[in-house]
Amino acid sequence: MVDRGVNPTLAFFLRITVVVAVALVALIVAAFLLKVVLVAALIAAVIFGGFFLYNLIRRRTNYPVIR
């Protein structure tokens, strides 16, 4: 076995530190992407709702008037 000169406990600590750092970065990126997706969904919902109301009002004006 090759001796790298690093204490096994120190190597384990460094591996755990790297894993935790990568997990934190992944959580931060996921949170940012979730914010972007939520904002996009909110904008799409407002546009879709406006389109629905526009069509609802436009349809009502097309009914024949009874005199």
Side-chain angles (χ1 to χ4, degrees), residues 42-58:
L42 182 65
I43 291 172
V46 169
I47 290 173
F48 185 74
F51 185 68
F52 175 75
L53 288 176
Y54 173 74
N55 281 338
L56 187 67
I57 292 170
R58 202 175 95 198

Side-chain angles (χ1 to χ4, degrees), residues 30-46:
F32 176 73
L33 291 177
L34 183 63
K35 285 181 191 176
V36 171
V37 168
L38 286 177
V39 169
L42 182 65
I43 291 172
V46 169

Side-chain angles (χ1 to χ4, degrees), residues 14-30:
L14 291 175
R15 284 186 194 141
I16 294 297
T17 304
V18 168
V19 167
V20 169
V22 168
L24 285 174
V25 169
L27 284 175
I28 291 170
V29 169

